[in-house]
Amino acid sequence: MTEEFEKKATETFSAERKEDIFVLIVAAVVVALVLAGAIGKDFYKSLFF
Amino acid sequence: MAGGGIGVEYSLRGLPRMLPGLILCVVFGWLALQWDSNISNWNRDAKESEKILKSWTEGKPVLAYDEYVQKAKEGFAKKEAEFKEQKAEYDAHVAALPPGGQPALKEPKKPSKPHPLKQADYEELTQGKAVAGKLAFGQRMIEFQLTYVAVLLLGGMLIRNTVGVPAVFQVGTLAARPLIKPGIIILGAYYMWSHVLKVGVIGMVLVIAFVMGTAVLVSLWGRRAKVDDGLTGVMGAGVGVCGVSAAVAVAPVVNAKPRDFFYAIGTILLFGTLALFTFPYIGQALGMSEPVFGAWVGTSILNTAQLVAAATWYGHESLLTANIINIVRVAFIPLVVLWAIYYYVVKPAVAAGGEAEKVNAWQVIRDKFPIFIFGFFAMVTLNEMGVFTEEQTKILAGDLLKLFFAVGFAGVGLNIAFDDLRKAGGTAFMIGFASAGLKAILAAVVVIALGTEVFAVR
């Protein structure tokens, strides 16, 4: 196995793991806001003309 | 995930570099959603106008605007009362069923709220006796599927390849693409476990047959054609399973050279881009229902972002099916890596009489598993437990999903560069492209034969 690619693959998967953790946090925050009622049914409509 | 952040790492330190591109994607996404909202409203009003015109040709009187609105409200109130009565009857029937019994009655559907025309549009209709121009335009745009998905992908690609995307926005537009993932997670609020298992089991069969099958086919064909192991290994993983991510995961195992890697990525991107823009129209031409189309793209398109975009483009039900199959597919990445280790490292070593490298399978699975899918499963479980009200489900799996997808699709469109696609080439390109094409054709035949009922989530 080439060291260069092994390093690159490890880095990429470490970045993708961080990315997955980031999106899990974003999704959790959004769900919490909806459950708490901070994002309601009129939120989306209010964004457009 | 394919379409994931190759070269982009989420961190607070990197935020200032990402911010300009992210803002660009948010603005672009918002404009596309504004367009989408307008054409959807115009399309709805065009249908209402056609209904009114039909009633006039049948001899019904032309009402004044106030009377027309009043009549629409009364009609809805009547339908709602009927629905409540039928629903009470249905609930009582279900409650009286023995455990495991199937209801003989069909669950009534809640009537949708009336959307009477605006006064100006109604008056234009009464005077011209024809659907207003802008409403007909909206209807035409919906017919051509030129929704926010098309605007972002086609528009983004056009911008990228004509005026270009300035370097200051580059990192942010790449970082916007993974924002499709929170959309995939919150879409879980729409499913029950019975839906996931129903489509997931058949999805797993399709993934094993087509997706893993393609990875194996490319490798065997590549060896026969005497193409370098490194190139066929990366190509097989890429066109078989999950585009760029799988190719990156397999690259070190098969000793791929940088040139091999970029050839494979070029092929994956080229096939994905062509599929993204043509499959929705092919699906329509073949008369595929939304669930069948979702199953087809879930099996044939190699990359999560492109697959989700094509399915969303086709319709919501298509997305619901494609999402489950995609979850199953990305869960297979570690298994493809294990297979590549066996085929390219262990087997040749044993054949040469040498000692095979010991592989820690659990370590491979743990390192390569896309953990974001646990978020999706958590959402399905919360929905099963009744945590979300009907309205909250609509907000999560409808409104917010669109917002995440719009920003993510903006990132996808703005990163389709013809220069990257030109990197595809050589015999391996031919093998990879032909295998991916063959998989798409066979998958289309199978999903059409299996039919809508098998893939319908609800």
Side-chain angles (χ1 to χ4, degrees), chain B residues 55 87 94 96 102 141 163 182-183 201 234 287 343 370 388 396 409 443:
Chain B
S55 76
K87 182 83 172 103
V94 171
Q102 290 295 316
M141 291 299 103
V163 291
V201 168
V234 177
Y343 189 79
F388 306 118
L396 286 164
F409 293 162

Side-chain angles (χ1 to χ4, degrees), chain A:
Chain A
M1 297 184 197
T2 49
E3 263 178 45
E4 189 190 343
F5 256 117
E6 192 160 15
K7 197 167 160 252
K8 175 72 187 163
T10 311
E11 276 172 14
T12 304
F13 270 92
S14 150
E16 291 215 344
R17 187 53 59 91
K18 277 187 190 165
E19 181 186 297
D20 278 7
I21 293 167
F22 169 76
V23 297
L24 281 168
I25 293 170
V26 171
V29 169
V30 164
V31 171
L33 289 172
V34 171
L35 288 175
I39 296 179
K41 66 172 182 177
D42 295 327
F43 170 75
Y44 183 78
K45 277 185 194 158
S46 71
L47 298 175
F48 306 103
F49 301 123

